[in-house]
Amino acid sequence: MKYLIVIIFLITVSIPFINTTVSGPDVKSGDDWTVPSWATITTNSGFFSEETTASVNINVGVFDVAWKQINPSKDVYTYTTTASVKDMPFSSFNSQNATTKPFWMRIWNSGVTWAPNWIQSYCNVGSIGKDYDGDDHLPIWNSCVWGEIKKMYTHIFLDLNMRADPRLKFIYVPGAFNWCEFDFTEIGNYSTSTGYSYTVCNNNNNNKNNNNNNNNNNNNNNNNNNNNNNNNNNNNNNNNNNNNNNNNNNNNNNNNNNNNNNNNNYNLY
């Protein structure tokens, strides 16, 4: 009965200290992009889009050019031509490059209407199919097509040294398929319709690396086993020696004790 009274008393006493007010979430309509007050902007990060919108911190706009716009003939480059892709007008390379603001870059390459006219006959290629917006595309994996694209990239980013431009934040590469976002849809459709297949590179190298790793592991295991065996033998020998020494010491001590006892006995008499 005493314990029951104590329990009832504890429950009664603790009730006034229970906070019965539970605050719910602060629900806001629409998209809520607020962040905690302690959150700070990470270096070299932020929003980007086709156009800047300072009110929502989109401070990096696009530098858009089509391949045909800057490379109209083989090994010929121009910076004053305009173009249009997906109903978006592209100013000339020189005009866009005159900005003092930061930008990201997109060079539209794979579309049949984005690429220079000479590339199809020169590389003997044609459309591999359409993207979901209905635009036809060239085979970006074709060695001739990709080789010419790489030459263009080399000219823009090495010869003109755009790669060292502090305004440039990043670039879409390889500038292929819908919106230059390298969708796999076009590749999959082409592979399904034509039976086109591909091989995964570096398999042999990976196998060799795996074999080397296995051999190294085996060698390491053997070495470790040998070392362990040697260590065990050494430990056993050390233990035996220690035991022998201890036994000898114990015997000596016993003998000494016996002698002492004998001496004590003599003294007692």
Side-chain angles (χ1 to χ4, degrees), residues 40 60 119 192 195 213 217 220 259:
T40 57
V60 180
I119 197 69
T192 301
N213 287 339
N217 287 339
N220 288 339
N259 289 335

Side-chain angles (χ1 to χ4, degrees), residues 20 97 184:
T20 58
N97 198 32
F184 294 133

Side-chain angles (χ1 to χ4, degrees), residues 109-142:
N109 294 323
S110 70
V112 169
T113 60
W114 313 343
N117 293 330
W118 57 269
I119 197 69
Q120 292 189 54
S121 57
Y122 180 77
C123 293
N124 192 28
V125 294
S127 172
I128 60 165
K130 299 179 183 295
D131 61 32
Y132 57 81
D133 281 341
D135 292 324
D136 285 285
H137 291 272
L138 299 174
I140 197 76
W141 54 83
N142 179 274

